[in-house]
Amino acid sequence: MPDIFLRALEKNDAAAFAAIARESAINADPWMGWCDRQYTEEQALEWFAVCAQERAFQTGYEFGVFDKESGQLLGAAGVNMIDRIHQRGNLSYWVAPRWQGQGIATTVASFLTQYAFTELRLLRVELVIAIANLASRRVADKVGAQLECLARNRLRLNGNSVDAAVYSLIPGEVRAASCLIQA
């Protein structure tokens, strides 16, 4: 597995983000409705602006996942949909196809869960994953998330309602992972 770090996505990342989104559309389209073969740099910049706004309002912390050696963008991940009243958030992760199967998503998921508990002071992290998305469900299992239920019509993907597996982690359950967030 490459040595990785996380940081907020910046304007300079738009071309790389758009490129791996288009690349990912082939494999991930059923799970990532926003991702298509025509994804543009302008769409990436719009997403970065949403991420900045969520960070400002403390409702989401999205990051690019980068290779330390090359600086190459490998994917993205974040803690989002943060509910400060109940101190919970949702964990999301995505790795471009050429980087999948190397433990990157598992490392990032473990690290961001630790980040959610220690830095964001959340008491619960949820992973809501389409039932048929077996790769993401394996990541949830590997980080020690507990499957709580199968929720009918829980997600909207590509205009369709799909059932989802709802996993959770609470403080003390996450497996340790080493990663770095750059300011």
Side-chain angles (χ1 to χ4, degrees):
M1 181 183 86
D3 201 9
I4 58 174
F5 70 93
L6 308 178
R7 70 163 166 76
L9 292 158
E10 302 168 349
K11 185 177 179 177
N12 296 359
D13 300 319
F17 189 92
I20 64 171
R22 290 189 300 269
E23 175 188 332
S24 297
I26 296 164
N27 295 338
D29 188 54
W31 322 126
M32 297 166 47
W34 59 270
C35 182
D36 63 44
R37 294 178 189 188
Q38 287 78 40
Y39 195 87
T40 66
E41 289 182 44
E42 292 76 26
Q43 288 173 295
L45 290 169
E46 289 171 9
W47 172 243
F48 298 174
V50 168
C51 293
Q53 186 175 31
E54 288 178 353
R55 186 178 299 273
F57 288 120
Q58 299 181 351
T59 58
Y61 295 84
E62 301 289 340
F63 301 95
V65 178
F66 296 88
D67 177 67
K68 275 187 187 176
E69 186 176 318
S70 68
Q72 183 174 10
L73 181 63
L74 310 178
V79 180
N80 47 50
M81 293 188 258
I82 294 173
D83 174 349
R84 289 291 176 190
I85 293 171
H86 299 288
Q87 293 179 272
R88 69 175 179 236
N90 179 72
L91 178 66
S92 62
Y93 41 86
W94 155 59
V95 177
R98 66 187 128 151
W99 296 102
Q100 291 173 1
Q102 297 183 41
I104 296 168
T106 302
T107 298
V108 168
S110 293
F111 178 78
L112 282 178
T113 302
Q114 292 171 6
Y115 175 79
F117 296 144
T118 59
E119 301 299 318
L120 303 179
R121 304 282 187 225
L122 300 182
L123 298 175
R124 176 181 170 88
V125 171
E126 295 179 347
L127 297 88
V128 181
I129 304 167
I131 287 176
N133 186 348
L134 300 179
S136 285
R137 291 185 67 187
R138 279 191 297 274
V139 170
D141 290 335
K142 287 177 186 176
V143 299
Q146 183 173 7
L147 176 63
E148 292 186 338
C149 69
L150 301 179
R152 296 179 302 157
N153 284 352
R154 178 60 176 83
L155 296 172
R156 291 285 293 172
L157 298 174
N158 299 313
N160 300 307
S161 294
V162 299
D163 298 345
V166 179
Y167 294 83
S168 72
L169 287 153
I170 59 174
E173 290 182 340
V174 68
R175 296 184 181 137
S178 177
C179 196
L180 172 69
I181 293 180
Q182 288 189 346

